[in-house]
Amino acid sequence: MKVAVVGLGYRMANVLKSFQKANPDLAVTGLVDPAPAGLEDLQKAGLDVGPRFDNVDEMVQTARPDLLMVGSPNAFHLEHVRSGLRNGVKVFTEKPVVIDEQQSMEMAQLLGEYGADRVLVGLVLRYSDLYRDLRKAQADGQIGDVVSIEASEHIAPYHGAFFMRDWRRYQQYAGPYILEKCCHDIDLYASVVGARASAVSSFGGRKSFVPDNAPAVLSNAEREQYYCKPSGWNATDKVFDSDADIIDYQTALIEYENGATMAFHANLNVPNQFRRFCVIGSKGMAEGDFVRNNFSVHAASSGEKLVEKRYEGVETDHYGADDQMAADITRNLLEGEPLPVGIIDALEAGLTAIKIDEARRERRLIDMGSTWARFDEALRTAPRQS
C-alpha cells in the first residue's frame, strides 16, 4: 500500500509505525512538510519517506498514493483533505477534522460532493478494547436505556505543559482545547447514547498554567515534568507564561436528543491522571478508565457485578488502540471491512465541542437545533459527477 503524507509530526509518525505493523509492504511515496518533526523517529523505525513536495496537489498527482494521510495542524485539514479528494484519492485525517463551525460546514459540503466513504478519521479510541466491551455490554442488555453519563479526561502536568508549549496552544491552529483533546470522548459517549446533542452549556478557564504558579527556579524533577514531551512546529519553552490562548480546565453539560445527559470534566494539571466514565442506564451501570485499564458492569436490580476486566496498554499508543485502528483501516482499504467510526461521526463530535466552548465563552445555554439543520443541509450537497 502506498501512502503520501502531509504533516509529519510526532503523532503522525506513531500512526505510520502502526500502519507499518498492519501492512509490512507500506511505502511512503511522498511528503509535504517544511519541518517534519517526526521524520527521525520514523527513520529509526526503518520506514523510509519518499520524495518531498511543496504542496499536496503536486504530491498526489505525482506519487498517486492509495491513501493521503493528513497530519498537519488542524486548521489546515480542510485544505489538505480537499486537495486529496479533488485529485481522486482516499484520505485519512487526524482528529479533530476541522477547527470551527464554518470549516465543519465546508467539510460537510465536501462529503456531500465526493462521498463520506472517501475520508477516514483517526478517532482512535473507538478501536480500543475498553470501548468495544462497553458497546458489548450495551448489546447484551446489561445497561438498558442510557439515562446519564459522568465522564472526564484529565491529563498529567507533563502533558498539560506540552499543550502550553506546542502549536496546539493557539486556537487559530488547533481550535478550542475541548475540541483538540476531548473530541474522542465526546464522540464515544454520543455513540453510546445513540443521539446527537440537543443543548450544551459549559464553564472553565485557566488557573493552573499561569505566571503566579511558575516555580522561581526549576528543579530537575520539574524540568523533567514540564519538558519531557517534545514539541515540534511553532514551539516555545514557556510553560506558565506562554502566549497560549487555550484554557486549562473545563466542565460541560450535554443534553441529548433522546433525553439522556452527560457531565464532562477536563483538566490539564492532574498528577494522578485518569480518563474514566460512568454510564448509568435503566438496567445497570458501566464504569471504565482508559488510563487505569479497568472496566466493570453492575446490574441495577441486584447490585451484582456482571463484568470485571482489566487491560494492557499505555497512553502513548492510546491504550493499544493505535495498532488496532491501523489494522482495521488496512482491512477496510484492502478488503472493504466496515469501520467503527466515520467522518460524519467525527464532524458531529467536533461541532458539539465547538458549541460547548462557545457556550463557555458566552456564558449561555446553546440549543443545537439550528446547527444540525445547517449541517444536514451541507451534507445534502449534490454529489460530484464522475
Side-chain angles (χ1 to χ4, degrees), residues 18-303:
S18 289
F19 270 79
Q20 185 186 36
K21 292 179 188 176
N23 186 347
D25 294 328
L26 182 79
V28 181
T29 58
L31 172 64
V32 173
D33 190 329
L39 181 59
E40 183 178 356
D41 191 30
L42 206 60
Q43 290 171 335
K44 286 180 180 178
L47 190 56
D48 293 327
V49 174
R52 304 276 286 272
F53 296 89
D54 292 329
N55 62 75
V56 177
D57 285 338
E58 179 192 7
M59 176 174 67
V60 173
Q61 291 166 11
T62 303
R64 304 310 305 170
D66 302 303
L67 185 68
L68 171 65
M69 302 191 71
V70 177
S72 50
N74 309 338
F76 307 122
H77 287 182
L78 176 62
E79 171 192 345
H80 294 153
V81 170
R82 181 185 286 117
S83 292
L85 292 176
R86 70 188 177 199
N87 282 290
V89 298
K90 277 196 170 185
V91 181
F92 168 90
T93 180
E94 261 299 338
K95 63 79 194 170
V97 182
V98 290
I99 65 167
D100 58 29
E101 189 168 354
Q102 181 57 38
Q103 283 196 347
S104 299
M105 301 307 168
E106 291 183 44
M107 184 66 77
Q109 289 176 332
L110 275 180
L111 299 180
E113 185 178 357
Y114 288 94
D117 62 334
R118 304 296 299 172
V119 185
L120 313 176
V121 65
L123 281 175
V124 66
L125 288 190
R126 285 262 205 139
Y127 296 86
S128 67
D129 290 334
L130 175 50
Y131 173 73
R132 292 171 190 258
D133 285 336
L134 172 59
R135 297 293 277 159
K136 182 178 186 302
Q138 277 191 284
D140 291 345
Q142 295 173 330
I143 299 172
D145 294 332
V146 175
V147 176
S148 59
I149 300 174
E150 180 180 304
S152 59
E153 184 184 6
H154 294 329
I155 64 175
Y158 85 88
H159 205 165
F162 162 79
F163 271 92
M164 294 300 156
R165 295 185 292 105
D166 190 59
W167 60 262
R168 295 168 176 86
R169 71 189 184 274
Y170 297 130
Q171 293 190 59
Q172 68 182 22
Y173 296 131
Y177 175 80
I178 198 166
L179 169 70
E180 155 60 27
K181 190 68 178 74
C182 307
C183 60
H184 286 302
D185 309 80
I186 292 170
D187 167 66
L188 285 184
Y189 304 123
S191 74
V192 170
V193 169
R196 288 169 164 175
S198 59
V200 298
S201 63
S202 181
F203 300 93
R206 185 155 150 205
K207 298 185 71 172
S208 293
F209 292 100
V210 296
D212 285 350
N213 293 331
V217 178
L218 280 176
S219 67
N220 288 337
E222 288 167 333
R223 183 165 294 280
E224 172 63 21
Q225 173 82 288
Y226 299 131
Y227 295 96
C228 67
K229 189 173 173 65
S231 182
W233 177 69
N234 216 340
T236 179
D237 287 335
K238 296 179 182 295
V239 175
F240 294 91
D241 55 348
S242 86
D243 58 354
D245 60 14
I246 58 170
I247 60 178
D248 62 20
Y249 70 98
Q250 187 165 11
T251 57
L253 290 176
I254 301 174
E255 180 185 56
Y256 295 93
E257 291 174 341
N258 60 6
T261 62
M262 179 168 74
F264 184 78
H265 182 198
N267 193 296
L268 284 69
N269 192 43
V270 181
N272 191 13
Q273 65 179 354
F274 54 92
R275 190 176 199 171
R276 65 191 179 203
F277 60 80
C278 179
V279 176
I280 302 171
S282 57
K283 294 184 178 180
M285 64 182 284
E287 300 170 89
D289 191 321
F290 288 94
V291 173
R292 298 173 186 179
N293 292 314
N294 57 60
F295 177 63
S296 64
V297 181
H298 287 79
S301 58
S302 64

Side-chain angles (χ1 to χ4, degrees), residues 4 15 27 46 48 85-86 160 233 303 308 315 363 365 367 374:
V15 170
D48 293 327
L85 292 176
R86 70 188 177 199
W233 177 69
E308 183 171 24
E315 180 188 11
R363 296 183 64 82
L365 176 75
D367 185 282
R374 287 183 62 212

